[in-house]
């Protein structure tokens, strides 16, 4: 089915992104997976190619073009190459972290951090999840108390993407709000600050090239100049930016569905069973027909959400719908495609086996399927 989401400039960008992935990602993907993290040179190469400054003002080293469709193209090209974990590194910054710097940072903060983030000399992460607080951000216990000319930060975070290599970490912490209620605030914690420690590198089921870590903060002195936005408005900021993150996850899931389906169709044509191609069995064709239909519907809905996001009309409910539905269909598709590969699907030398473990996290991060349904359900009955 023909897509009409992209213009000529986006397709030109796609050609550049595809060439970048072929040169700077594909040859090193296996070694990054073995190491448990990408090499920092990836960020410098991406910065030099203009892939990290998407939406960042030109004066700070970015493209100056705020159009999420460019983000989606990069995401699709990384997924097309089977580099989902690398997509989480690069698009994790452009889709999840950069908006906080662009929208909340003061001119002084932008001049201090954005050029390095855009050229890849600095790597960023965001720390929301805690051992006792995942999708429900109201359970956050990390706290920042006023102290001298700044704050003392105490607490622990877990499941932090890029937690090992990050130079800057946007930490979500509790602060005392003026009305007596505890609110959330965002702080930029920098590598080397006293009391900021990186704990275990967490070993995940999949997404091996994307490092995930535990972080701890013990009386970390955070200057007031590192407060991002206004104190106590953190929940508002998080709610504002989470829809884009969730659409980004849907883009990843839909692109992965397309690649896995195409690869499985090719496999069934080549695989001979009972003296004929696997694709000639009616049960195989029926399965592929169902999966192709799921893929088209997922892509169509995702594209619509991208359009709404670009136009500034996407609602949190629509983003939640895309996030849970597309990722659940992605997991079903990958599982059924693995079944069509038979025993070979269980061998890690086949990409379908790696996809099977890589896609399992998609219904968990950026809010679980259950939380997405709760968001949608509340919008229907309130």
């Amino acid at each position: 089915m023909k897509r009409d989401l992209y213009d000529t400039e986006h397709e030109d960008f796609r050609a550049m992104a595809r060439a970048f992935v072929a040169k700077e990602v594909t040859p090193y993907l296996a070694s990054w997976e073995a190491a448990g993290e990408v090499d920092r040179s990836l960020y410098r190469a991406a910065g030099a190619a203009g892939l990290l400054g998407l939406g960042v003002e030109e004066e700070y080293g970015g493209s100056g073009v705020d159009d999420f469709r460019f983000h989606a193209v990069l995401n699709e090209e990384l997924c097309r190459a089977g580099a989902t974990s690398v997509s989480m590194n690069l698009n994790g910054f452009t889709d999840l972290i950069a908006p906080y710097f662009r929208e909340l940072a003061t001119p002084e903060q932008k001049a201090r951090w954005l050029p390095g983030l855009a050229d890849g000399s600095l790597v960023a992460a965001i720390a929301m999840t805690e051992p006792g607080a995942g999708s429900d951000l109201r359970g956050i216990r990390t706290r920042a108390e006023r102290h001298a000319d700044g704050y003392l930060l105490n607490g622990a975070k877990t499941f932090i993407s890029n937690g090992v290599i990050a130079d800057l970490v946007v930490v979500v912490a509790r602060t005392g709000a003026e009305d007596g209620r505890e609110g959330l605030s965002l702080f930029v914690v920098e590598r080397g600050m006293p009391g900021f420690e990186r704990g275990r590198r967490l070993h995940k089921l999949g997404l091996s090239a994307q490092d995930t870590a535990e972080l701890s903060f013990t009386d970390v002195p955070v200057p007031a100049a590192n407060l991002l936005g206004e104190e106590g408005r953190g929940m508002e900021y998080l709610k504002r930016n989470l829809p884009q993150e969730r659409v980004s996850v849907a883009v990843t899931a839909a692109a992965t569905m397309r690649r896995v389906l195409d690869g499985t169709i090719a496999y069934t044509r080549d695989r001979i069973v009972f003296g004929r191609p696997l694709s000639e069995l009616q049960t195989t064709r029926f399965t592929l027909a169902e999966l192709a239909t799921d893929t088209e519907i997922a892509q169509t809905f995702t594209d619509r959400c991208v359009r709404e996001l670009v136009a500034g009309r996407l609602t949190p409910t629509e983003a939640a719908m895309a996030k849970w539905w597309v990722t659940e269909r992605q997991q079903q598709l990958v599982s059924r495609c693995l079944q069509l590969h038979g025993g070979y699907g269980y061998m890690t030398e086949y990409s379908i086996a790696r996809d099977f473990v890589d896609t399992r996290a998609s219904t968990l991060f950026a809010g679980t399927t259950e939380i997405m349904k709760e968001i949608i359900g509340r919008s229907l009955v309130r």
Side-chain angles (χ1 to χ4, degrees):
M1 187 178 296
K2 182 176 175 57
R3 299 169 68 191
D4 58 2
L5 177 63
Y6 300 116
D7 299 328
T8 301
E9 59 187 354
H10 301 109
E11 295 303 338
D12 291 342
F13 178 78
R14 183 185 301 279
M16 185 270 284
R18 185 170 297 183
F20 173 86
V21 172
K23 178 182 178 183
E24 303 290 351
V25 176
T26 301
Y28 310 106
L29 186 56
S31 63
W32 293 339
E33 289 177 341
E37 64 183 59
V38 300
D39 191 271
R40 290 181 66 97
S41 62
L42 169 69
Y43 285 90
R44 291 190 289 272
L51 300 179
L52 290 177
L54 301 176
V56 173
E57 300 98 313
E58 290 183 279
E59 62 184 297
Y60 302 118
S63 67
V65 179
D66 188 10
D67 183 344
F68 181 78
R69 288 175 292 182
F70 289 104
H71 304 213
V73 166
L74 175 59
N75 205 339
E76 289 175 354
E77 289 306 309
L78 287 164
C79 292
R80 177 180 176 273
T84 309
S85 53
V86 179
S87 175
M88 291 186 65
N89 282 289
L90 300 185
N91 284 78
F93 170 68
T94 59
D95 297 348
L96 174 58
I97 302 170
Y100 294 102
F101 286 96
R102 292 200 317 265
E103 297 169 12
L104 304 178
T106 65
E108 292 76 17
Q109 289 174 326
K110 289 183 177 182
R112 183 175 163 197
W113 292 317
L114 277 178
L117 291 169
D119 69 19
S121 57
L122 291 177
V123 177
I126 187 165
M128 299 187 219
T129 304
E130 298 182 3
S135 296
D136 182 9
L137 297 176
R138 290 178 176 81
I140 284 176
R141 293 291 176 264
T142 296
R143 186 163 187 85
E145 298 279 1
R146 280 280 187 177
H147 178 76
D149 60 347
Y151 300 82
L152 281 182
L153 182 67
N154 285 279
K157 300 289 183 178
T158 192
F159 306 151
I160 306 307
S161 301
N162 286 357
V164 174
I165 66 175
D167 303 294
L168 306 175
V169 181
V170 178
V171 178
V172 183
R174 290 207 168 276
T175 50
E178 291 183 3
D179 62 3
R181 294 177 302 172
E182 289 188 327
L184 298 178
S185 302
L186 309 182
F187 298 90
V188 179
V189 176
E190 302 178 65
R191 179 185 293 276
M193 282 185 169
F196 171 32
E197 301 289 340
R198 298 163 207 264
R200 292 184 302 149
R201 179 198 298 272
L202 301 175
H203 298 284
K204 307 187 296 295
L205 182 67
L207 300 170
S208 301
Q210 190 266 320
D211 77 82
T212 305
E214 295 175 330
L215 305 179
S216 66
F217 311 92
T218 305
D219 288 334
V220 179
V222 181
N226 283 37
L227 173 67
L228 206 53
E230 297 180 20
E231 183 179 311
R233 295 182 63 188
M235 181 64 79
E236 172 191 338
Y237 301 145
L238 294 169
K239 286 183 177 179
R240 182 192 308 169
N241 287 312
L242 280 172
Q244 176 166 304
E245 178 188 4
R246 287 165 180 162
V247 170
S248 178
V249 174
V251 169
T252 301
T256 301
M257 289 173 72
R258 179 77 61 186
R259 176 179 54 79
V260 171
L261 177 62
D262 288 347
T264 301
I265 291 171
Y267 178 84
T268 61
R269 287 171 176 161
D270 294 338
R271 175 66 171 161
I272 304 299
V273 294
F274 304 115
R276 56 178 174 161
L278 180 60
S279 60
E280 291 188 7
L281 298 178
Q282 186 183 65
T283 183
T284 299
R285 295 199 301 273
F286 278 16
T287 297
L288 293 175
E290 293 172 12
L291 299 180
T293 304
D294 279 346
T295 300
E296 291 296 339
I297 295 171
Q299 189 69 75
T300 300
F301 183 45
T302 300
D303 286 357
R304 187 197 131 192
C305 288
V306 170
R307 286 193 200 90
E308 292 297 292
L309 178 63
V310 171
R313 297 189 299 259
L314 183 74
T315 68
T317 299
E318 291 169 329
M321 287 177 174
K323 198 276 175 182
W324 89 260
W325 194 87
V326 179
T327 57
E328 290 287 350
R329 290 304 174 278
Q330 173 200 28
Q331 291 198 18
Q332 292 176 20
L333 179 142
V334 171
S335 180
R336 296 181 74 184
C337 285
L338 188 150
Q339 186 72 19
L340 287 173
H341 281 73
Y344 289 104
Y346 205 62
M347 302 296 110
T348 56
E349 64 188 275
Y350 281 78
S351 62
I352 187 65
R354 297 192 297 275
D355 288 319
F356 185 77
V357 293
D358 282 350
T359 60
R360 187 59 190 87
S362 63
T363 60
L364 304 175
F365 51 60
T368 64
T369 292
E370 291 73 22
I371 292 296
M372 296 302 97
K373 291 180 179 180
E374 182 66 15
I375 292 170
I376 298 163
R378 288 180 180 178
S379 75
L380 299 175
V381 300
R382 66 185 176 194

